[in-house]
Amino acid sequence: CDFVHRAGVSPCVTGDFCSGGNWGRAGSVPTSRPMSTWDNFPQPIPGAVALIPAAGVGSRMGADIPKQYLDLNGRPVIAHAIAALARSPAIRAVHVVISADDGWWDGYDWSAWMDKAWAGKLRVWRCGGDTRAQSVANGLAAIRGEVDAADWVLVHDAARPCLADAMLASLIGTLTDDPVGGLLAVPVADTLKRADATGRVAATVPR
């Protein structure tokens, strides 16, 4: 998930900060925790829900349909993202935010992909905004009546289908008692350079 925060805390909605796949208030980056599957995950934490902003049209992708609806192994990309969150025993609901004029969602038989993990968890809200930040903010407003102020909200992009169970378990387990929230991140493996105003390399950033 891109970000986790308390439902009762007003999140950042600044466009620049909300772009590029990382959204929300500045928080701690969780450390690794030895949880490989949900089988050894502790008792579900109270008040954890997921929010998937899915109102984008994927214009940069250059496809005929929004990228979240592109086929991946026989089902739309977003179905994989939903499943990754829904199968977590720590998450009681998965809220998907689509645009009011979305013409693709209703064209799928979502029940065909639902297993026991999805049962009763999936909710869809047609309140998406013009930007990802607006969709997240609108989604948080829409679910306000269904969450408590102390609930955790996990925000995850619809077009990110490869969220591993172990990573999600580590994120939730690490942040259960955190007062702020955090980002799911992995160490940078590639060399990272910082450029100056002229486009020349100014420094190599320590990894």
Side-chain angles (χ1 to χ4, degrees):
C1 289
D2 291 341
F3 180 68
V4 184
H5 74 97
R6 295 290 188 186
V9 178
S10 298
C12 158
V13 292
T14 304
D16 291 341
F17 187 60
C18 297
S19 64
N22 294 313
W23 184 89
R25 295 169 53 239
S28 58
V29 177
T31 56
S32 176
R33 180 170 287 211
M35 295 180 183
S36 57
T37 68
W38 287 117
D39 294 335
N40 61 352
F41 193 77
Q43 291 296 315
I45 62 175
V49 301
L51 181 67
I52 301 179
V57 297
S59 58
R60 290 177 298 177
M61 192 74 177
D64 295 332
I65 63 175
K67 58 185 177 181
Q68 61 267 31
Y69 294 115
L70 291 173
D71 182 87
L72 178 61
N73 197 27
R75 62 183 64 181
V77 168
I78 189 175
H80 296 277
I82 294 171
L85 295 163
R87 63 175 169 256
S88 165
I91 297 176
R92 74 167 188 268
V94 179
H95 299 275
V96 179
V97 178
I98 61 179
S99 65
D101 57 354
D102 184 297
W104 292 273
W105 179 271
D106 292 337
Y108 294 96
D109 179 12
W110 297 97
S111 63
W113 301 309
M114 290 185 183
D115 54 25
K116 290 187 294 184
W118 288 44
K121 287 190 175 184
L122 184 61
R123 294 290 307 278
V124 182
W125 304 87
R126 288 183 173 271
C127 60
D130 293 333
T131 66
R132 182 181 187 274
Q134 291 174 352
S135 292
V136 173
N138 291 351
L140 290 174
I143 70 174
R144 186 174 296 276
E146 302 191 12
V147 296
D148 296 325
D151 284 348
W152 285 111
V153 180
L154 294 87
V155 180
H156 185 68
D157 281 350
R160 296 178 186 266
C162 300
L163 177 62
D165 290 352
M167 288 187 176
L168 183 57
S170 177
L171 178 71
I172 295 175
T174 301
L175 297 175
T176 297
D177 298 318
D178 192 279
V180 178
L183 300 170
L184 180 59
V186 294
V188 175
D190 299 325
T191 300
L192 185 62
K193 301 289 185 179
R194 178 178 288 115
D196 60 21
T198 67
R200 292 181 174 274
V201 174
T204 299
V205 180
R207 290 174 292 181

